[in-house]
Amino acid sequence: MPTPPFPDDAGALPATPAFSPLYQQIKDLILQSLQQGEWKPGEAIPSEIDLAARYRVSQGTVRKAIDELAAEHLLVRRQGKGTFVATHAEQHVQYRFLRLVPDSGDRDANGPAQRTILECRRSRATGDIARALALRSGEPVVQVRRVLSFAGVPTILEDLWLPGGPFKGLTAEQMADYPGPTYAMFELEFGVRMVRAEEKIRAVAADEQQAALLAVSPGTPLLSVERIASTYNGLPMELRRGLYRTGDRHYRNVLA
Amino acid sequence: MPTPPFPDDAGALPATPAFSPLYQQIKDLILQSLQQGEWKPGEAIPSEIDLAARYRVSQGTVRKAIDELAAEHLLVRRQGKGTFVATHAEQHVQYRFLRLVPDSGDRDANGPAQRTILECRRSRATGDIARALALRSGEPVVQVRRVLSFAGVPTILEDLWLPGGPFKGLTAEQMADYPGPTYAMFELEFGVRMVRAEEKIRAVAADEQQAALLAVSPGTPLLSVERIASTYNGLPMELRRGLYRTGDRHYRNVLA
DNA sequence: CAGTGGTCTAGACCACGCT
DNA sequence: GCGTGGTCTAGACCACTGT
């Protein structure tokens, strides 16, 4: 199936050589299958040998493609068992996207966050929301406002905007009651897997309303975290604006 | 040279199998050469073929070791030229550790930062400084305070602590005058290459002195960024506490 | 035991950068 | 043209997981 990486057949010399290694083509094919839901989060994909046969390629080439996808956390290899589609529904990668940790470092000190849904309603995208979600102004979105508390202490105030199409039918109950990460619920209920995110972080002062919801004094410095999360194809599927109390917690980042 | 990955010779059954793949052993040997300065930042290391001969191993095994070191940004591969020791003295990786970017996104909008050194002196490690740098209380450190400005606007106020041994002789002039990243100067002048860093981020309010140095009103929310940077062997070689103005800039982070 | 991913090798050929 | 890293293959064997 994958064309061997020969120079183009047509006589016209291409401005871009458009050379793409075989393993890259295989990677794209696997990515396509993930995108189309041929293999769902948590499921095993076919063995390397099967994939090699399917794509008429050596096992080594498939291996290199899978290696890269595993490095990007789209797949997870498990020796002796197989290769699996990564999912947010795993104890072990639970907090891949939440960087706020207790100063003690012990993340599980006070268990999972309690969620309080303040609001969950359909609305229409304003200019900047639309821009962030690659929609047009006025297109339907789902808007959620919630507070996350740890050990009873309100710590994060978040607003979420989700594109109305893929998230049609999302309810406050779903947001509140699902046992596990919100992104795991998105996978299960809406078939949307968040794969990558970009965050912009600032320091801001709490206004009256924010202060009340987070039980701090107005003017308290808070971390403002704006996140755009995207799926396999790179299309943005969530805009999130959070305010983090950083009294006894901090945003942890590793530069490598 | 590298012992084949056979089970231990001794009869005692090991609690840890202590199995280490060949490429991992090669990786460690290369790392050791980097640590000992056999190849310096910016220089080329021997070709894969040479290394394969040196370690009595196939080229593929060396390749896998180098692949991982390149993924960790310790080495840089350049097709047709060779493999080089990574360095901070490169236009292209200039800002690998500075995550504060203009809201416009264009990092080079107002060129490199201007550095104002407020202080540069030898002192002795207090408890928490010592802990961060893996020293004992009272051991000598070099302490630097500086302001970074962009287009004339003071934006970052930083305190640096460096272990006194490796950084013996560091002067304010060196900190101020070196044309290029500070970490490049550390490589060149002190043979210390920063390889990894961990940051803890909080929101704080500017006090009187900080406000004056950053030309903002007291109480302005600022990003507090505490960084511990380490060398090849993982030993911490710098503690840095910065305060960032985030009026028209933000700390950018990618979650992948 | 069979099946999976993980390691190691050897060899052929390709793409790139330099001289 | 030569030397570098980059791709691709084929085959052997190891380590881990389940039956």
PDB file of all heavy atoms in Angstrom, chain A residues 54-79:
ATOM      1  N   ARG A  54      -0.229  -6.140   7.226  1.00  0.00           N
ATOM      2  CA  ARG A  54      -1.292  -5.271   6.703  1.00  0.00           C
ATOM      3  C   ARG A  54      -0.756  -4.185   5.789  1.00  0.00           C
ATOM      4  O   ARG A  54      -1.331  -3.886   4.758  1.00  0.00           O
ATOM      5  CB  ARG A  54      -2.036  -4.647   7.881  1.00  0.00           C
ATOM      6  CG  ARG A  54      -2.929  -3.470   7.526  1.00  0.00           C
ATOM      7  CD  ARG A  54      -3.852  -3.181   8.673  1.00  0.00           C
ATOM      8  NE  ARG A  54      -4.595  -1.939   8.496  1.00  0.00           N
ATOM      9  CZ  ARG A  54      -5.512  -1.493   9.348  1.00  0.00           C
ATOM     10  NH1 ARG A  54      -5.797  -2.205  10.414  1.00  0.00           N
ATOM     11  NH2 ARG A  54      -6.144  -0.364   9.145  1.00  0.00           N
ATOM     12  N   TYR A  55       0.361  -3.598   6.182  1.00  0.00           N
ATOM     13  CA  TYR A  55       0.894  -2.491   5.390  1.00  0.00           C
ATOM     14  C   TYR A  55       1.977  -2.946   4.416  1.00  0.00           C
ATOM     15  O   TYR A  55       2.565  -2.117   3.724  1.00  0.00           O
ATOM     16  CB  TYR A  55       1.456  -1.405   6.316  1.00  0.00           C
ATOM     17  CG  TYR A  55       0.424  -0.784   7.242  1.00  0.00           C
ATOM     18  CD1 TYR A  55       0.652  -0.715   8.615  1.00  0.00           C
ATOM     19  CD2 TYR A  55      -0.765  -0.250   6.746  1.00  0.00           C
ATOM     20  CE1 TYR A  55      -0.285  -0.140   9.465  1.00  0.00           C
ATOM     21  CE2 TYR A  55      -1.704   0.329   7.601  1.00  0.00           C
ATOM     22  CZ  TYR A  55      -1.459   0.367   8.956  1.00  0.00           C
ATOM     23  OH  TYR A  55      -2.378   0.937   9.793  1.00  0.00           O
ATOM     24  N   ARG A  56       2.264  -4.252   4.400  1.00  0.00           N
ATOM     25  CA  ARG A  56       3.287  -4.811   3.515  1.00  0.00           C
ATOM     26  C   ARG A  56       4.643  -4.153   3.744  1.00  0.00           C
ATOM     27  O   ARG A  56       5.270  -3.626   2.822  1.00  0.00           O
ATOM     28  CB  ARG A  56       2.902  -4.604   2.030  1.00  0.00           C
ATOM     29  CG  ARG A  56       1.509  -5.024   1.679  1.00  0.00           C
ATOM     30  CD  ARG A  56       1.365  -6.544   1.713  1.00  0.00           C
ATOM     31  NE  ARG A  56       0.256  -6.983   0.892  1.00  0.00           N
ATOM     32  CZ  ARG A  56       0.312  -7.024  -0.467  1.00  0.00           C
ATOM     33  NH1 ARG A  56       1.423  -6.714  -1.091  1.00  0.00           N
ATOM     34  NH2 ARG A  56      -0.732  -7.423  -1.152  1.00  0.00           N
ATOM     35  N   VAL A  57       5.076  -4.223   4.964  1.00  0.00           N
ATOM     36  CA  VAL A  57       6.274  -3.518   5.383  1.00  0.00           C
ATOM     37  C   VAL A  57       6.955  -4.391   6.415  1.00  0.00           C
ATOM     38  O   VAL A  57       6.344  -5.287   6.975  1.00  0.00           O
ATOM     39  CB  VAL A  57       5.828  -2.152   5.978  1.00  0.00           C
ATOM     40  CG1 VAL A  57       6.798  -1.659   6.999  1.00  0.00           C
ATOM     41  CG2 VAL A  57       5.614  -1.149   4.864  1.00  0.00           C
ATOM     42  N   SER A  58       8.241  -4.167   6.674  1.00  0.00           N
ATOM     43  CA  SER A  58       8.919  -5.008   7.661  1.00  0.00           C
ATOM     44  C   SER A  58       8.489  -4.620   9.078  1.00  0.00           C
ATOM     45  O   SER A  58       8.036  -3.502   9.329  1.00  0.00           O
ATOM     46  CB  SER A  58      10.428  -4.859   7.542  1.00  0.00           C
ATOM     47  OG  SER A  58      10.872  -3.748   8.269  1.00  0.00           O
ATOM     48  N   GLN A  59       8.679  -5.539  10.002  1.00  0.00           N
ATOM     49  CA  GLN A  59       8.296  -5.275  11.386  1.00  0.00           C
ATOM     50  C   GLN A  59       9.061  -4.078  11.936  1.00  0.00           C
ATOM     51  O   GLN A  59       8.516  -3.277  12.704  1.00  0.00           O
ATOM     52  CB  GLN A  59       8.570  -6.522  12.242  1.00  0.00           C
ATOM     53  CG  GLN A  59       8.051  -6.388  13.664  1.00  0.00           C
ATOM     54  CD  GLN A  59       8.393  -7.603  14.518  1.00  0.00           C
ATOM     55  OE1 GLN A  59       8.944  -8.584  14.024  1.00  0.00           O
ATOM     56  NE2 GLN A  59       8.067  -7.539  15.794  1.00  0.00           N
ATOM     57  N   GLY A  60      10.319  -3.937  11.536  1.00  0.00           N
ATOM     58  CA  GLY A  60      11.145  -2.841  12.015  1.00  0.00           C
ATOM     59  C   GLY A  60      10.574  -1.481  11.664  1.00  0.00           C
ATOM     60  O   GLY A  60      10.669  -0.532  12.441  1.00  0.00           O
ATOM     61  N   THR A  61       9.984  -1.398  10.497  1.00  0.00           N
ATOM     62  CA  THR A  61       9.414  -0.130  10.058  1.00  0.00           C
ATOM     63  C   THR A  61       8.174   0.213  10.873  1.00  0.00           C
ATOM     64  O   THR A  61       8.010   1.348  11.324  1.00  0.00           O
ATOM     65  CB  THR A  61       9.073  -0.201   8.563  1.00  0.00           C
ATOM     66  OG1 THR A  61      10.270  -0.463   7.837  1.00  0.00           O
ATOM     67  CG2 THR A  61       8.488   1.108   8.077  1.00  0.00           C
ATOM     68  N   VAL A  62       7.315  -0.779  11.080  1.00  0.00           N
ATOM     69  CA  VAL A  62       6.154  -0.567  11.944  1.00  0.00           C
ATOM     70  C   VAL A  62       6.620  -0.168  13.330  1.00  0.00           C
ATOM     71  O   VAL A  62       6.091   0.753  13.947  1.00  0.00           O
ATOM     72  CB  VAL A  62       5.307  -1.854  12.040  1.00  0.00           C
ATOM     73  CG1 VAL A  62       4.267  -1.722  13.146  1.00  0.00           C
ATOM     74  CG2 VAL A  62       4.637  -2.151  10.715  1.00  0.00           C
ATOM     75  N   ARG A  63       7.656  -0.841  13.789  1.00  0.00           N
ATOM     76  CA  ARG A  63       8.165  -0.558  15.127  1.00  0.00           C
ATOM     77  C   ARG A  63       8.562   0.896  15.273  1.00  0.00           C
ATOM     78  O   ARG A  63       8.225   1.560  16.252  1.00  0.00           O
ATOM     79  CB  ARG A  63       9.363  -1.453  15.416  1.00  0.00           C
ATOM     80  CG  ARG A  63      10.093  -1.136  16.711  1.00  0.00           C
ATOM     81  CD  ARG A  63      11.196  -2.137  16.969  1.00  0.00           C
ATOM     82  NE  ARG A  63      10.638  -3.439  17.187  1.00  0.00           N
ATOM     83  CZ  ARG A  63      10.195  -3.844  18.378  1.00  0.00           C
ATOM     84  NH1 ARG A  63      10.249  -3.030  19.421  1.00  0.00           N
ATOM     85  NH2 ARG A  63       9.695  -5.038  18.528  1.00  0.00           N
ATOM     86  N   LYS A  64       9.242   1.418  14.271  1.00  0.00           N
ATOM     87  CA  LYS A  64       9.676   2.814  14.367  1.00  0.00           C
ATOM     88  C   LYS A  64       8.478   3.765  14.387  1.00  0.00           C
ATOM     89  O   LYS A  64       8.479   4.752  15.122  1.00  0.00           O
ATOM     90  CB  LYS A  64      10.617   3.166  13.208  1.00  0.00           C
ATOM     91  CG  LYS A  64      11.061   4.616  13.220  1.00  0.00           C
ATOM     92  CD  LYS A  64      12.503   4.820  12.794  1.00  0.00           C
ATOM     93  CE  LYS A  64      12.911   6.264  13.007  1.00  0.00           C
ATOM     94  NZ  LYS A  64      14.296   6.542  12.682  1.00  0.00           N
ATOM     95  N   ALA A  65       7.467   3.452  13.585  1.00  0.00           N
ATOM     96  CA  ALA A  65       6.256   4.281  13.587  1.00  0.00           C
ATOM     97  C   ALA A  65       5.609   4.270  14.968  1.00  0.00           C
ATOM     98  O   ALA A  65       5.282   5.319  15.539  1.00  0.00           O
ATOM     99  CB  ALA A  65       5.280   3.784  12.532  1.00  0.00           C
ATOM    100  N   ILE A  66       5.450   3.074  15.531  1.00  0.00           N
ATOM    101  CA  ILE A  66       4.823   2.942  16.846  1.00  0.00           C
ATOM    102  C   ILE A  66       5.674   3.626  17.918  1.00  0.00           C
ATOM    103  O   ILE A  66       5.145   4.274  18.818  1.00  0.00           O
ATOM    104  CB  ILE A  66       4.602   1.459  17.195  1.00  0.00           C
ATOM    105  CG1 ILE A  66       3.544   0.871  16.260  1.00  0.00           C
ATOM    106  CG2 ILE A  66       4.188   1.290  18.643  1.00  0.00           C
ATOM    107  CD1 ILE A  66       3.250  -0.596  16.505  1.00  0.00           C
ATOM    108  N   ASP A  67       6.995   3.484  17.802  1.00  0.00           N
ATOM    109  CA  ASP A  67       7.883   4.137  18.768  1.00  0.00           C
ATOM    110  C   ASP A  67       7.577   5.628  18.867  1.00  0.00           C
ATOM    111  O   ASP A  67       7.482   6.183  19.958  1.00  0.00           O
ATOM    112  CB  ASP A  67       9.346   3.939  18.360  1.00  0.00           C
ATOM    113  CG  ASP A  67       9.889   2.592  18.801  1.00  0.00           C
ATOM    114  OD1 ASP A  67       9.239   1.932  19.628  1.00  0.00           O
ATOM    115  OD2 ASP A  67      10.954   2.192  18.312  1.00  0.00           O
ATOM    116  N   GLU A  68       7.424   6.260  17.722  1.00  0.00           N
ATOM    117  CA  GLU A  68       7.177   7.700  17.750  1.00  0.00           C
ATOM    118  C   GLU A  68       5.812   8.017  18.339  1.00  0.00           C
ATOM    119  O   GLU A  68       5.662   8.961  19.117  1.00  0.00           O
ATOM    120  CB  GLU A  68       7.296   8.277  16.335  1.00  0.00           C
ATOM    121  CG  GLU A  68       8.706   8.195  15.786  1.00  0.00           C
ATOM    122  CD  GLU A  68       8.996   9.274  14.758  1.00  0.00           C
ATOM    123  OE1 GLU A  68       8.061   9.967  14.325  1.00  0.00           O
ATOM    124  OE2 GLU A  68      10.172   9.421  14.375  1.00  0.00           O
ATOM    125  N   LEU A  69       4.820   7.231  17.982  1.00  0.00           N
ATOM    126  CA  LEU A  69       3.481   7.479  18.524  1.00  0.00           C
ATOM    127  C   LEU A  69       3.459   7.251  20.036  1.00  0.00           C
ATOM    128  O   LEU A  69       2.744   7.935  20.767  1.00  0.00           O
ATOM    129  CB  LEU A  69       2.459   6.579  17.823  1.00  0.00           C
ATOM    130  CG  LEU A  69       2.218   6.950  16.356  1.00  0.00           C
ATOM    131  CD1 LEU A  69       1.443   5.860  15.633  1.00  0.00           C
ATOM    132  CD2 LEU A  69       1.482   8.279  16.261  1.00  0.00           C
ATOM    133  N   ALA A  70       4.263   6.294  20.486  1.00  0.00           N
ATOM    134  CA  ALA A  70       4.339   6.049  21.928  1.00  0.00           C
ATOM    135  C   ALA A  70       5.057   7.206  22.620  1.00  0.00           C
ATOM    136  O   ALA A  70       4.674   7.615  23.711  1.00  0.00           O
ATOM    137  CB  ALA A  70       5.064   4.735  22.210  1.00  0.00           C
ATOM    138  N   ALA A  71       6.071   7.758  21.948  1.00  0.00           N
ATOM    139  CA  ALA A  71       6.798   8.889  22.521  1.00  0.00           C
ATOM    140  C   ALA A  71       5.876  10.098  22.659  1.00  0.00           C
ATOM    141  O   ALA A  71       6.036  10.918  23.558  1.00  0.00           O
ATOM    142  CB  ALA A  71       8.006   9.242  21.667  1.00  0.00           C
ATOM    143  N   GLU A  72       4.896  10.197  21.783  1.00  0.00           N
ATOM    144  CA  GLU A  72       3.936  11.311  21.844  1.00  0.00           C
ATOM    145  C   GLU A  72       2.748  10.975  22.742  1.00  0.00           C
ATOM    146  O   GLU A  72       1.763  11.714  22.766  1.00  0.00           O
ATOM    147  CB  GLU A  72       3.450  11.647  20.423  1.00  0.00           C
ATOM    148  CG  GLU A  72       4.561  12.119  19.499  1.00  0.00           C
ATOM    149  CD  GLU A  72       4.132  12.114  18.024  1.00  0.00           C
ATOM    150  OE1 GLU A  72       2.922  12.184  17.756  1.00  0.00           O
ATOM    151  OE2 GLU A  72       5.017  12.034  17.145  1.00  0.00           O
ATOM    152  N   HIS A  73       2.811   9.847  23.424  1.00  0.00           N
ATOM    153  CA  HIS A  73       1.759   9.429  24.348  1.00  0.00           C
ATOM    154  C   HIS A  73       0.436   9.136  23.661  1.00  0.00           C
ATOM    155  O   HIS A  73      -0.618   9.225  24.292  1.00  0.00           O
ATOM    156  CB  HIS A  73       1.536  10.474  25.448  1.00  0.00           C
ATOM    157  CG  HIS A  73       2.775  10.825  26.208  1.00  0.00           C
ATOM    158  ND1 HIS A  73       3.355  12.057  26.151  1.00  0.00           N
ATOM    159  CD2 HIS A  73       3.559  10.085  27.010  1.00  0.00           C
ATOM    160  CE1 HIS A  73       4.434  12.072  26.915  1.00  0.00           C
ATOM    161  NE2 HIS A  73       4.580  10.886  27.442  1.00  0.00           N
ATOM    162  N   LEU A  74       0.453   8.810  22.395  1.00  0.00           N
ATOM    163  CA  LEU A  74      -0.794   8.426  21.729  1.00  0.00           C
ATOM    164  C   LEU A  74      -1.012   6.932  21.886  1.00  0.00           C
ATOM    165  O   LEU A  74      -2.145   6.460  21.873  1.00  0.00           O
ATOM    166  CB  LEU A  74      -0.753   8.799  20.243  1.00  0.00           C
ATOM    167  CG  LEU A  74      -0.516  10.277  19.948  1.00  0.00           C
ATOM    168  CD1 LEU A  74      -0.778  10.575  18.481  1.00  0.00           C
ATOM    169  CD2 LEU A  74      -1.435  11.124  20.810  1.00  0.00           C
ATOM    170  N   LEU A  75       0.071   6.188  21.990  1.00  0.00           N
ATOM    171  CA  LEU A  75       0.001   4.747  22.215  1.00  0.00           C
ATOM    172  C   LEU A  75       0.823   4.417  23.453  1.00  0.00           C
ATOM    173  O   LEU A  75       1.701   5.189  23.854  1.00  0.00           O
ATOM    174  CB  LEU A  75       0.563   3.986  21.002  1.00  0.00           C
ATOM    175  CG  LEU A  75      -0.186   4.157  19.677  1.00  0.00           C
ATOM    176  CD1 LEU A  75       0.538   3.425  18.552  1.00  0.00           C
ATOM    177  CD2 LEU A  75      -1.619   3.640  19.806  1.00  0.00           C
ATOM    178  N   VAL A  76       0.529   3.265  24.036  1.00  0.00           N
ATOM    179  CA  VAL A  76       1.294   2.802  25.191  1.00  0.00           C
ATOM    180  C   VAL A  76       1.722   1.371  24.919  1.00  0.00           C
ATOM    181  O   VAL A  76       0.888   0.521  24.620  1.00  0.00           O
ATOM    182  CB  VAL A  76       0.440   2.852  26.476  1.00  0.00           C
ATOM    183  CG1 VAL A  76       1.216   2.279  27.654  1.00  0.00           C
ATOM    184  CG2 VAL A  76       0.004   4.264  26.770  1.00  0.00           C
ATOM    185  N   ARG A  77       3.010   1.109  24.995  1.00  0.00           N
ATOM    186  CA  ARG A  77       3.507  -0.252  24.785  1.00  0.00           C
ATOM    187  C   ARG A  77       3.527  -1.002  26.111  1.00  0.00           C
ATOM    188  O   ARG A  77       3.876  -0.433  27.135  1.00  0.00           O
ATOM    189  CB  ARG A  77       4.929  -0.198  24.229  1.00  0.00           C
ATOM    190  CG  ARG A  77       5.057   0.401  22.848  1.00  0.00           C
ATOM    191  CD  ARG A  77       6.534   0.532  22.512  1.00  0.00           C
ATOM    192  NE  ARG A  77       6.807   0.627  21.091  1.00  0.00           N
ATOM    193  CZ  ARG A  77       6.740  -0.380  20.236  1.00  0.00           C
ATOM    194  NH1 ARG A  77       6.396  -1.578  20.648  1.00  0.00           N
ATOM    195  NH2 ARG A  77       7.003  -0.203  18.963  1.00  0.00           N
ATOM    196  N   ARG A  78       3.134  -2.268  26.065  1.00  0.00           N
ATOM    197  CA  ARG A  78       3.250  -3.095  27.263  1.00  0.00           C
ATOM    198  C   ARG A  78       3.853  -4.431  26.865  1.00  0.00           C
ATOM    199  O   ARG A  78       3.205  -5.226  26.171  1.00  0.00           O
ATOM    200  CB  ARG A  78       1.884  -3.285  27.913  1.00  0.00           C
ATOM    201  CG  ARG A  78       1.429  -2.050  28.670  1.00  0.00           C
ATOM    202  CD  ARG A  78       0.384  -2.376  29.726  1.00  0.00           C
ATOM    203  NE  ARG A  78      -0.960  -2.108  29.247  1.00  0.00           N
ATOM    204  CZ  ARG A  78      -1.608  -0.956  29.421  1.00  0.00           C
ATOM    205  NH1 ARG A  78      -1.018   0.020  30.072  1.00  0.00           N
ATOM    206  NH2 ARG A  78      -2.818  -0.792  28.966  1.00  0.00           N
ATOM    207  N   GLN A  79       5.085  -4.623  27.311  1.00  0.00           N
ATOM    208  CA  GLN A  79       5.811  -5.818  26.891  1.00  0.00           C
ATOM    209  C   GLN A  79       5.047  -7.081  27.263  1.00  0.00           C
ATOM    210  O   GLN A  79       4.537  -7.194  28.376  1.00  0.00           O
ATOM    211  CB  GLN A  79       7.197  -5.859  27.538  1.00  0.00           C
ATOM    212  CG  GLN A  79       8.022  -7.028  27.027  1.00  0.00           C
ATOM    213  CD  GLN A  79       9.458  -7.032  27.513  1.00  0.00           C
ATOM    214  OE1 GLN A  79      10.106  -8.054  27.516  1.00  0.00           O
ATOM    215  NE2 GLN A  79       9.953  -5.876  27.897  1.00  0.00           N
TER     216      GLN A  79
END
